[in-house]
Amino acid sequence: MDAPEPEGHPPAGTDGGAEAIAAAERAAMVRSIEADGVFDGDPGWRDAFATVPRELFVPYYYEATAAAAGGYERLWGEDPDPERRARWLRGAYADAPLATRVRDGELLSSSSQPSLMARMLVALGVQRGEGVLKVLEIGAGPGYNAALMSHRLGDEHVTTVDLDPDITESARRHLAAAGRHPAVVTGDGARGCPGRAPFDRIIATCALPGIPPDWLGQCRPGARILAPLATGLLLLTVHDAENAEGRFLHTPAYFVPLRGGSSRAGDRPREYDGLPRRALREDSFRFLLALAGDSLDPYEALALWRRGDRPGRERYGVTVADGSARAWLDDPAGPDTWPLT
């Protein structure tokens, strides 16, 4: 279903009156994120979202629909129908993820929900009296997140990596159109980017089965890693090349899985027949089941969840030590801990 992007001219959203409409939509998006208090933790990100034009990074995207062949409808900025062009432009600034690459009905890449991107960037903590930091992004997507970081930190301090050369080529083109030129690398994100290390921050915009050990070795002591894991966002502080520890943010997060040979896990559907349906409807319990993986019997997980009074994501954490990782509830040295598989 992938189609080549139009070349030789910018998308319709950057011309004439559409440019003014895009500016108005962008301002409305920023106001919405700001109203939720997202920028309170670091107001410096507001200017990045207010300045970087998201429409340049999604010259086309796909909306899920049962009516279209393959389950997706393509919207693009060069559509000859003015109503569909306007729909594309409004959608580019909706606070929603946008599917940017779909192949044989499988979602391969997307532009994340802007408010979630803002929460992640704020949590990353790029200005804490440490000067300008070097950041590695795992999962380039269309390049929008890299553009936001480049606007804030400078192109030379940002590296983004993706396994798919089509994705990295598109990201480079989009970034150049926005006047940004961070390092865009084609490679297995699970292996990091040793040629650009060491890093002060690593941020992943794809779901992980665990924390790749190569990342720790490419971080300076005190660096932070923010990565989607088990429908949550894990924020780790790196102590050295083999040791890190941190907790989950309270924010739910659902991302396209990381692809790459070194990142694959024995990911298979699990049956939970016999567990109470009421518990399975609870987001906090489903998160625990995902985090527990094969390490905890589902009924053990249920007992832990009840004993902990239905704990939210922010009460869980992960400790990486000497090549292995353990998840825990409330206290890494407490009784409720298990191997992270």
Side-chain angles (χ1 to χ4, degrees):
M1 184 178 290
D2 285 350
E5 295 182 13
E7 295 184 3
H9 53 279
T14 62
D15 294 331
E19 190 173 78
I21 295 172
E25 293 286 344
R26 185 160 58 252
M29 179 190 75
V30 171
R31 286 195 301 272
S32 175
I33 297 173
E34 190 171 39
D36 286 340
V38 178
F39 296 130
D40 291 352
D42 188 347
W45 286 112
R46 187 190 188 284
D47 181 63
F49 280 85
T51 303
V52 177
R54 193 186 189 202
E55 74 273 17
L56 293 181
F57 296 88
V58 286
Y60 65 85
Y61 56 86
Y62 300 93
E63 286 190 351
T65 173
Y72 286 93
E73 176 187 10
R74 187 175 186 260
L75 297 174
W76 65 306
E78 293 297 322
D79 197 302
D81 184 340
E83 291 187 3
R84 288 179 61 83
R85 288 201 305 273
R87 183 177 156 202
W88 160 81
L89 187 53
R90 288 193 302 271
Y93 284 103
D95 189 25
L98 299 175
T100 55
R101 286 193 177 270
V102 177
R103 187 174 299 152
D104 298 327
E106 179 187 2
L107 176 61
L108 300 181
S109 183
S110 66
S111 179
S112 303
Q113 181 181 9
S115 62
L116 179 59
M117 296 170 72
R119 291 182 189 279
M120 293 177 69
L121 291 170
V122 168
L124 200 59
V126 297
Q127 286 195 344
R128 304 273 175 141
E130 303 172 73
V132 180
L133 305 176
K134 285 181 62 178
V135 180
L136 171 64
E137 177 188 34
I138 308 297
Y144 180 52
N145 200 52
L148 294 168
M149 294 190 292
S150 293
H151 178 87
R152 180 74 184 275
L153 301 174
D155 292 347
E156 67 276 19
H157 299 288
V158 177
T159 302
T160 183
V161 61
D162 203 287
L163 183 69
D164 191 324
D166 290 338
I167 291 176
T168 51
E169 177 57 33
S170 291
R172 284 190 198 95
R173 187 162 56 245
H174 301 159
L175 285 157
R180 308 274 21 148
H181 300 279
V184 182
V185 178
T186 303
D188 184 354
R191 299 189 184 280
C193 188
R196 298 275 297 175
F199 299 102
D200 302 288
R201 300 288 187 270
I202 294 179
I203 181 171
T205 55
C206 46
L208 304 172
I211 301 300
D214 287 346
W215 292 5
L216 273 64
Q218 293 172 32
C219 285
R220 292 190 176 98
R224 293 177 183 169
I225 295 174
L226 180 61
L229 182 69
T231 77
L233 293 169
L234 177 63
L235 181 60
L236 291 172
T237 297
V238 178
H239 304 309
D240 55 41
E242 294 187 341
N243 296 275
E245 189 168 87
R247 288 181 177 270
F248 285 87
L249 308 184
H250 74 278
T251 308
Y254 302 88
F255 284 87
V256 176
L258 174 71
R259 293 179 297 141
S262 62
S263 66
R264 298 184 187 277
D267 198 14
R268 64 183 186 278
R270 299 189 67 190
E271 298 295 333
Y272 296 116
D273 294 340
L275 287 177
R277 292 185 180 180
R278 184 175 179 180
L280 288 170
R281 286 194 294 266
E282 294 272 356
D283 176 70
S284 60
F285 182 54
R286 294 197 304 271
F287 167 74
L288 174 56
L289 287 175
L291 184 61
D294 292 327
S295 295
L296 284 182
D297 177 87
Y299 294 95
E300 288 180 76
L302 178 64
L304 185 154
W305 179 72
R306 286 173 168 167
R307 187 170 66 250
D309 194 22
R310 302 178 180 180
R313 287 172 174 80
E314 67 278 5
R315 288 178 56 189
Y316 294 93
V318 170
T319 299
V320 181
D322 302 322
S324 63
R326 296 189 68 83
W328 39 266
L329 172 65
D330 290 333
D331 183 353
D336 297 317
T337 179
W338 59 93
L340 184 65
T341 59

